[in-house]
Amino acid sequence: MSDQGPLLEIAANSLASALAAQGGGANRIELCAALELGGLTPSYAQIALTRERVRIPIYVLIRPRTGDFVYSDNECETMQRDIEACVSLGCEGVVLGALDEGGGVDANRCRALIAAAGGLGVTFHRAFDMSRDPETALEDIIALRCERVLTSGAQADAPAGAALIRKLVEQAAGRISVMPGAGVSAQNIASLRALTGAREFHASAKRELPSRMRGGNALPGMTAGEVLSDVEQVRALVAALGSVTGS
C-alpha cells in the first residue's frame, strides 16, 4: 500500500447518510440500502441522486437479497445490470462477492461481475467472512484483482476478529487492502488500527432518529424512526483515526 494516511469508509443507507459522511470528513462512501439486513443494493434513483450531490468517492453495494452468497444465474444477471447502472452513473466503484456451495470464492461468478464493472474499483464484501478458508479466499480475491476485501476477521465484529485481520494484512503484503468492518466505532478504531495494521476502516456511524409521527395509527414494527449515519459520529471516527501515529 502507499504511504497515505488511514482512510475511513462509511456505509451510507441514503443520500442524507452520504451527506453526513461527507460532512464528517469520511474519505469514501459505501452506498447501500437496508443496513439492518446487512445491506442490499440501493435503488437506481438513490444511486443517481447521491452521485449528483456527493463529491467524495461512492462505491455501491451489489447484493440483490439477504441470506447467503451462493447466487443463481438470474441473480447474477441482476447484479450485472446493477453494476452496469453504476458504471453509467459515474460511480467510482462497486462492492460485490459470491461464494460457491462449498464455501469457496466463486471465481467464475465474480469474474463476470468484475468484467461488468469495467474500470470501476472493486471491493470484495463480507461474503469473505463466510468462506471456509480465509487464507485461500484471500489469495483467490487477490487473483481477481480486487482493490480490497472488507472483513470482520470471520467473527461477529472486527474487534473480535482482530487477530485474523492482522494475519490477513500480513499475508496480503500490500497486494490488496484488508479493511476491517463491523462494530467499528470511535471508541475502538485506534486500537483496531494498532492491532491489525490495517490502513482502511469501514463503519456505519449510525443512529436512530425518533419517529416524526405524532398521530395516526401505530402498528408494531412500523413506528420506528429513520436510521441514518450521524455527522458527529463520523467526525469522532475521523478524529480517533487521525490521532494514531505511525504506519
Side-chain angles (χ1 to χ4, degrees), residues 10 22 49 54 64 88 104 121 125 128 133 139 143 147 152 185 236:
I10 294 295
Q22 177 175 272
L49 196 58
V54 171
S88 70
H125 58 47
F128 174 83
D133 183 336
E139 293 300 326
E147 291 179 326
S152 61
S185 68

Side-chain angles (χ1 to χ4, degrees), residues 151-153 158-171 178-181 184 188-201 241 247:
T151 178
S152 61
L164 178 57
I165 296 172
R166 178 90 192 184
K167 290 180 181 178
L168 295 169
V169 169
E170 292 169 354
Q171 178 185 338
V178 177
M179 180 170 63
V184 176
N188 62 30
I189 195 168
S191 63
L192 268 175
R193 186 180 175 197
L195 287 169
T196 65
R199 302 186 68 91
E200 299 187 65
F201 297 85
L241 192 55
S247 61

Side-chain angles (χ1 to χ4, degrees), residues 69 96-99 103-105 124-142 148-155 164-165 168-169 171 176 178-179:
F69 301 96
L96 55 82
L99 302 179
V105 172
F124 196 98
H125 58 47
R126 286 187 64 212
F128 174 83
D129 290 320
M130 293 182 66
S131 65
R132 66 175 180 272
D133 183 336
E135 289 83 0
T136 299
L138 183 64
E139 293 300 326
D140 291 340
I141 293 165
I142 290 170
R148 68 187 57 79
V149 57
L150 172 63
T151 178
S152 61
Q155 300 294 326
L164 178 57
I165 296 172
L168 295 169
V169 169
Q171 178 185 338
I176 190 172
V178 177
M179 180 170 63

Side-chain angles (χ1 to χ4, degrees), residues 18-221:
L19 290 169
Q22 177 175 272
N27 303 97
R28 184 175 62 235
I29 289 162
E30 182 205 73
L31 186 64
C32 64
L35 267 176
E36 70 278 6
L37 300 176
L40 297 173
T41 305
S43 72
Y44 181 94
Q46 179 158 286
I47 299 168
L49 196 58
T50 304
R51 180 63 288 168
E52 288 173 13
R53 300 192 183 178
V54 171
R55 300 183 305 276
I56 62 176
I58 296 170
Y59 278 53
V60 178
L61 178 61
I62 306 298
R63 186 184 179 212
R65 59 163 172 81
T66 59
D68 65 27
F69 301 96
V70 180
Y71 294 114
S72 68
D73 289 344
N74 287 338
E75 288 170 333
C76 284
E77 185 175 356
T78 298
M79 290 191 284
Q80 284 180 264
R81 294 198 183 191
D82 282 332
I83 291 168
E84 289 164 3
C86 294
V87 173
S88 70
L89 289 169
C91 298
E92 282 76 14
V94 290
V95 183
L96 55 82
L99 302 179
D100 60 31
E101 292 180 2
V105 172
D106 192 331
N108 290 333
R109 297 279 199 206
C110 289
R111 272 193 290 267
L113 297 176
I114 291 168
L120 269 59
V122 176
T123 300
F124 196 98
H125 58 47
R126 286 187 64 212
F128 174 83
D129 290 320
M130 293 182 66
S131 65
R132 66 175 180 272
D133 183 336
E135 289 83 0
T136 299
L138 183 64
E139 293 300 326
D140 291 340
I141 293 165
I142 290 170
L144 289 168
R145 305 187 69 139
C146 295
E147 291 179 326
R148 68 187 57 79
V149 57
L150 172 63
T151 178
S152 61
Q155 300 294 326
D157 56 47
L164 178 57
I165 296 172
R166 178 90 192 184
K167 290 180 181 178
L168 295 169
V169 169
E170 292 169 354
Q171 178 185 338
R175 295 175 294 162
I176 190 172
S177 176
V178 177
M179 180 170 63
V184 176
S185 68
Q187 290 69 44
N188 62 30
I189 195 168
S191 63
L192 268 175
R193 186 180 175 197
L195 287 169
T196 65
R199 302 186 68 91
E200 299 187 65
F201 297 85
H202 174 98
S204 60
K206 64 181 181 291
R207 70 184 178 100
E208 184 176 335
L209 301 177
S211 174
R212 292 187 291 268
M213 284 189 64
R214 295 294 179 265
N217 186 29
L219 294 174

